[in-house]
Structures are given as structure tokens and as C-alpha cells.
Amino acid sequence: MAVVEIRKSEWSDANALAPKLRKADKEEMIAVLGEKVDPVAALRYGIGVSYYPFTGLINGEIVCIFGAVAETHDHIGAVWLMGSDGITRHKMAFLRQSRVCLGRLFEPFALLWNCVDKRNTQHIRWLKWLGFSFLREIPEYGEQSRPFLEFAKIKE
């Protein structure tokens, strides 16, 4: 049985996860930030600006970093997650903890939202499973002007 741990992110977590990012997550990062993006710097930025930055470990291996960034409007957070293939290898353990973690991300927010690369089908399925609604397609988003899907969920 997989042992799952969720803890507050540390700067060194970015160094550990960056070289192991899932192909789709790295492609999404590049689509938004451009070809010259430094994944360590991008992950550290996410950790630094998130209200609650979390790191997920399965059997001691860092498999994801996630958080929610406070928007300029009160009680709205931009939720994000970057992960490794460890998520897929331990899919059931990851899914079991996802709803718990979503509740923790919602603590200071009434609404969570963001945009996901339309090519990132695993994230899209996962977001649907968590109960997010897809609002619209943005045909040209980020540095690479790729199609993204806007999604949101209101706190229950």
C-alpha cells in the first residue's frame, strides 16, 4: 500500500520535482511561460506566491507541488499543480488525497479557478473528477498562444 504524505513545500522540493515533471506538465509550463522557462524557477515562484504551497510525496518520493494563489478579488484563488509520473504510478493513492487537499486549498477562498492546456488530458479528467466546471476555451493563451480551457469551482 502506498504511503502518502502532504506537507508544506520547501524550496528544495522544486529542485527534486523539476527534472521529473510529466511531459504534459512541462509542455503546459512551456506553453504559458515560453521555451526558455526554467522549471525550478517556475516551481519556486509558485511556492513563493501560493497561499498554501503543498508538496505531495508517495512512498517518500516527491510526486507533485501544488497551491492556490490569491487573486486581486477577495476570496478567489488560482489553483495549480505540477507533477511527475509518480502520480500515474500511484493513481488511487493520489486520487484519495486529492479531495482532502482541495478542501485545504479552499480554506481562505470561496472560488478556485485557472486555465489548463487543452492537450493535458490527464489534468482535465482529474479536474472533472474533482468537480470543477469548464467555462470556456481560450483559443490563444500564454507565450505560445495555445488553446487552454478555463475552469472553476465554488466552495461547497
Side-chain angles (χ1 to χ4, degrees), residues 107-120:
E107 284 177 15
F109 303 113
L111 181 134
L112 292 175
W113 81 280
N114 210 332
C115 298
V116 61
D117 190 325
K118 193 173 177 180
R119 301 171 296 172
N120 200 337

Side-chain angles (χ1 to χ4, degrees), residues 31-91:
V32 174
L33 301 172
E35 290 287 336
K36 295 182 180 181
V37 65
D38 174 357
V40 172
L43 288 167
R44 284 185 174 190
Y45 177 79
I47 290 169
V49 298
S50 290
Y51 192 85
Y52 290 126
F54 293 109
T55 296
L57 298 93
I58 300 179
N59 298 333
E61 173 193 357
I62 293 176
V63 296
C64 63
I65 300 174
F66 58 97
V69 179
E71 293 288 315
T72 55
H73 304 289
D74 288 343
H75 309 295
I76 298 175
V79 64
W80 63 275
L81 178 141
M82 289 281 135
S84 72
D85 287 324
I87 290 173
T88 308
R89 285 193 309 275
H90 302 285
K91 183 178 177 179

